[in-house]
Every structure is written in C-alpha cells, then in structure tokens.
Amino acid sequence: MATARFPQFSLFAGMLAFAGLPLYIHAPKFFADEYGVSLSVLGIALLAVRSLDFIQDPFLGWFADVIKGYQAATALFAAVLMAGGMVALFGIAPPINPLWWFVICLAILFTAFSFLNILFYSQGVATARRFGARGHIQLAAWREAGALIGICIAAALPSILEQAGSTRPMAVFAGVFAVIAIGAAMVMYSDWSGVEGQQSRFWDAFKDHGIQRLMLLGVLNSAPVAVSSTLFLFFVGDRLGSESAAGPLLLFFFLAAALAVPVWTRISDKIGAKKTLLWGMSLSILAFMGALFLAEGHFIAFGLICIASGAALGADMTFLPALFARRVDTIDMPAGIGFGLWNFCTKLSLALAAAIVLPALDQFGFETGVSNDKQALFALTLLYAGLPCLLKIAAFMFLVRTELGETT
C-alpha cells in the first residue's frame, strides 16, 4: 500500500524541479536581455532575494511542523502562489521598475518553492521509515529520478517553443508550469500526513555532530553547482558561441543525471553511500577541468562534459539528501526543522554565488548581447569552470575526512 506513494512523490518532485530551473538559470539572463538590467545590479538583487530565501527556511521548516492536519491545503495554496509568481515573472511586462518587479516576483516564488520543498522532504521522512534501513535511499531514488525528469522537460521546453515559432517562449513556459504545478499539488493532495513523535527543539539540531558535518558538506558540495548554474547560459552563448545550444546541452546534462540515479543506487548497494559520493565528486572534478580548455564552437566536447557532470549530479542529488534524512530520523528531529536547515545551508551557496560571480564578471568587462574581448571570455571560463573545480575539490577533501557511516 505504501509503495503507491512513490509515483506521486516522483510527480511532485518533477514539478518542483521544473520550477527550479528557470528560477536559478533563466531569470537573471532573461531580465538582462529583455529589460537591460546590468549584471552587477542583478547580482546584488539576487543576493538580497536569495538571502531572504535561505534566512527564512528555518522558519518555514518550523511552520511545516506546526500545520499538522493542514499540509494538503497549504501545499495546494503554495503551488497556486508559485504558479502565479512564475507567470508574473516571465509572462507579464513589468508594471513597475523591472528590477523591483524581478525582486518581488522572485521573493514570492522562492518563498512558495522553499516551503513546498521543505514540506515535501519532511513527508519523505515519514514515508521512508516504513521501508526499513534502505527506505530513505529507495524513496530518494524515486524522488530524484522524478526531479531529474522534470528538469529535463524544463530544459528542453524553451528550445522546443522557439522552434515551434513562439515569440514569447518563456511566457508560454510559465503558463505550462502553472498547469503542472496545480495538477501535481492536486495529485499529491491525499498523500500528506504529519510526522509524529518528534520533540527535539530547533537548536538541538546544532548539537548533533552528524547534522553539523552533513550541513557543512551540503554547503561545500552545492557551491560548484550554484556557480555553474548562474553562469551556464552566459558560458554557452558567449564562450561557445550559440545561445540556441543551451537547451539541448541542459537536456543532455539532466537526462544523464536521471539515467545515472539507478546506476549510482546499485553501486551504493555494493560499496556504500560515501564511496559512491566520492566517485561522483571525482567525475564532477574531471568535468570542470575539461571545461577550462573549451573555446568557441566546441559543442561536442561540452556535450560530453555535460553528460559527465550530469551523471555526477545524480549521485549528489540522491545520496546527500537521503543521508541527511536518515540522520534526521535517527536523532528524532522534527523533519520540517531539519530540512529547513538543509535548505538554509544549500541555498547559502546560491546567495554567495550570485553576490560574487555576476559582479566579478561585470568587473572584467563582460557584457550581454555584445562581442566580448578575450579577457572577459577568459574570466567567464575561470568563473564557470575553474572556481567550481576548486570548490568541488574542497568538498571532496571534506567528505574524505568525514565519518558518515552507512547508518548515519
């Protein structure tokens, strides 16, 4: 009976992932291209919005724990709010200053998106415990596979819409998402239930050594993805020389991640989660190193790099949240608070990425929509591939020195 929940989890995860791609990748470039907002100003605005986003996550986690009995209704309301925010961001011409419209829409979207993520992962703790020691890994495989399929659809859709002749592909994209968001929330409506029997307080989380190590690992490991996702469209359009290639390359990346999830899961059955994560990180480091040597027109090479780095992402997405969920369950921490803290840590890197890489790119003279000189393109390459490579190496070394344990 419980296994019937897994397809619903996949669908809901796919919807959330569908939402995340335009928020983290398309929105900054869209407002730079459409409304001429400078990269430095966008970087500051993203820092402000993402700071609000990760600061509020512990509160949203607490709220997710105190609404027992009302999860279904609040999840549906948040999905409707997110659908409206997406349409406002990409489908409506700003009725006020474009920068302020950008900030307001993203604040609404990030709040609804974060709350649904926390509520969803908290529910995963309650559902996974019915399946014994492997429950968290089993649920994570279903959930992250669904998420990666959602990302694949989101990556391909703008290019498909452009090829179909749409003059406003991102506006249509937002409309499609609105339908999916409300539909997924309705399908999941009867699958929410409270996580009971947890009495630990918010600050107790910071007293647990395992939680501390996993949270720091989450910050370090998400930083490379935060940097590269912020700069992906700029790298493809300006370093490789074709904006139209971004959609197919993103599709390769996330499709590789989706296909890799069952492979990594099978490998972890033999060698354990920690060794599997280390192998995934090693593959990611090699991919970032390869991207350092790319030049204009190297699409085949970058396609192979996208496949390799996407496969590595499959390991990150599956095992780190599963290990964290298992630890939350083991120490009897309220799941909403736990995943509020997890979101706080992973989003900290996104806020820092926005605050550092976009203004840094601007300082090196990089501009959107024009032909950039060698210095600006070299800076773009170093920020897109070199910085994430160093960050990933730091995460790798931290994991080597961290005792997770297969029952952590």
Side-chain angles (χ1 to χ4, degrees), residues 20-225:
L21 190 73
L23 294 185
Y24 293 117
I25 293 183
H26 291 294
K29 193 172 191 313
F30 179 82
F31 270 74
D33 291 345
E34 292 290 319
Y35 306 113
V37 184
S38 77
L39 293 179
S40 290
V41 172
L42 281 173
I44 295 170
L46 280 171
L47 173 62
V49 175
R50 288 177 178 173
S51 296
L52 168 66
D53 186 34
F54 74 77
I55 288 171
Q56 71 182 351
D57 276 350
F59 170 76
L60 293 175
W62 167 83
F63 183 67
D65 283 323
V66 301
I67 58 168
K68 291 181 175 64
Y70 300 97
Q71 292 96 330
T74 51
L76 181 58
F77 174 77
V80 171
L81 192 64
M82 193 161 58
M86 191 73 76
V87 171
L89 183 68
F90 291 110
I92 298 176
I96 56 177
N97 183 288
L99 178 63
W100 283 109
W101 188 248
F102 177 79
V103 170
I104 292 169
C105 290
L106 279 187
I108 293 170
L109 279 163
F110 277 131
T111 299
F113 179 75
S114 296
F115 175 72
L116 284 175
N117 262 294
I118 293 168
L119 195 65
F120 181 57
Y121 276 81
S122 300
Q123 180 59 47
V125 174
T127 301
R129 64 171 51 146
R130 301 170 190 165
F131 297 88
R134 293 287 298 170
H136 292 289
I137 299 295
Q138 186 180 1
L139 177 61
W142 276 82
R143 182 181 59 215
E144 306 312 331
L148 289 164
I149 291 170
I151 292 176
C152 289
I153 296 172
L157 188 56
S159 295
I160 292 173
L161 292 171
E162 286 181 5
Q163 292 296 321
S166 175
T167 56
R168 300 183 64 205
M170 290 308 297
V172 178
F173 180 100
V176 171
F177 168 75
V179 174
I180 293 174
I182 296 172
M186 293 178 68
V187 169
M188 187 79 181
Y189 195 86
S190 62
D191 287 278
W192 300 102
S193 62
V195 182
E196 300 177 355
Q198 298 165 313
Q199 302 299 324
S200 60
R201 296 170 297 176
F202 175 85
W203 294 109
D204 290 344
F206 296 100
K207 300 176 183 178
D208 182 76
H209 182 70
I211 289 291
Q212 292 171 6
R213 303 288 285 183
L214 285 167
M215 286 169 62
L216 184 52
L217 180 60
V219 172
L220 288 172
N221 198 56
S222 60
V225 178

